[in-house]
Amino acid sequence: MSRRPRLKGRAARLARLFPARPRQAARTPFVLLVVLLLGGGLIGLLVLNSALSEGSFKMDDLQKDTKSLTDEEQALQRDIDSYSAPDALQRRARELGMVPGGDPAFLDPNGTVKGVPSAAALRSPAAVRPPEALATLPAFPSAGTATAPGASPTAASPTANTTVPEPAATAPGVSPTAATPTTPGR
C-alpha cells in the first residue's frame, strides 16, 4: 500500500482545494434526463408520422376530386366544341329560319363603302317557322321518313311536307314570352 507523501507549505494549501478522491456524480438525474429525452423524441416522431399520413389521405382525396373535375371539364368542352362546329351552327341557323347572307360591304373610317353588297337569298314564307314550331319538330328526320333516292337522310329538309302551326293563344294577363319554350344550347 502506498501512502501519499505529506505535502508542506504551498503545495499543502493547493492540495486542500482539490478533494482527496474523485466523487461520483449522482446517476439518477442523468438517467431520468436520458429517458425523458428518448420518450419525448419517440412521441414527437409519432405525432409527426400521424400528421404526414393525414396529409397524405387529404392529398389523395384532392387528387381524386381534381381528376373527376378535369373529366367533367373535358366533357363540357366537347359539348361546347360540338355546338360551335360550323355544320352544327349552320343546321341550327336553318332550323331558326336564317338564310346565308350575300356578299358583304365594308365601311372605311372616312365613310367610303368598299365592295358591292348583295341581298341574302330569299326563302319562301312557308319555310320560315316561328320559334314555337321549332320546339315541336324533331331536329333530324325519323327512321320512317322517306328521302329522295341518292340523298342522305341528314340532307333532307325537316320542313318538307310539314305545316307550320299557328302560335298558341295565351291567356289574358300572361305574357307571350312566358309561354315561349327555350331553345336547347342557349
Side-chain angles (χ1 to χ4, degrees):
M1 289 191 177
S2 70
R3 280 182 90 185
R4 285 179 76 189
R6 281 200 170 213
L7 301 174
K8 296 181 184 174
R10 186 172 184 201
R13 281 181 289 184
L14 287 174
R16 277 188 259 149
L17 294 176
F18 297 107
R21 59 185 164 100
R23 289 187 169 172
Q24 289 184 342
R27 289 186 180 186
T28 307
F30 177 73
V31 171
L32 285 175
L33 177 67
V34 170
V35 168
L36 286 175
L37 287 176
L38 288 175
L42 288 175
I43 290 174
L45 285 174
L46 178 66
V47 169
L48 182 65
N49 191 16
S50 298
L52 288 175
S53 65
E54 180 182 349
S56 175
F57 286 129
K58 284 182 182 178
M59 187 175 72
D60 190 41
D61 289 342
L62 290 175
Q63 285 175 341
K64 286 179 185 176
D65 291 345
T66 302
K67 185 181 181 320
S68 67
L69 290 174
T70 302
D71 291 345
E72 183 180 349
E73 177 191 16
Q74 289 174 352
L76 291 173
Q77 188 62 44
R78 279 193 304 271
D79 289 347
I80 289 171
D81 291 343
S82 68
Y83 286 131
S84 63
D87 58 338
L89 289 175
Q90 181 181 16
R91 181 180 51 81
R92 291 283 299 137
R94 288 195 183 186
E95 286 175 357
L96 293 172
M98 297 176 143
V99 295
D103 293 329
F106 301 97
L107 291 177
D108 281 337
N110 62 5
T112 60
V113 177
K114 282 190 173 182
V116 179
S118 64
L122 295 176
R123 290 180 89 173
S124 65
V128 178
R129 295 184 310 244
E132 295 84 17
L134 292 178
T136 60
L137 294 177
F140 293 104
S142 63
T145 305
T147 58
S152 68
T154 57
S157 172
T159 58
N161 299 328
T162 59
T163 59
V164 178
E166 292 297 319
T170 58
V174 176
S175 69
T177 57
T180 304
T182 59
T183 305
R186 293 178 88 192

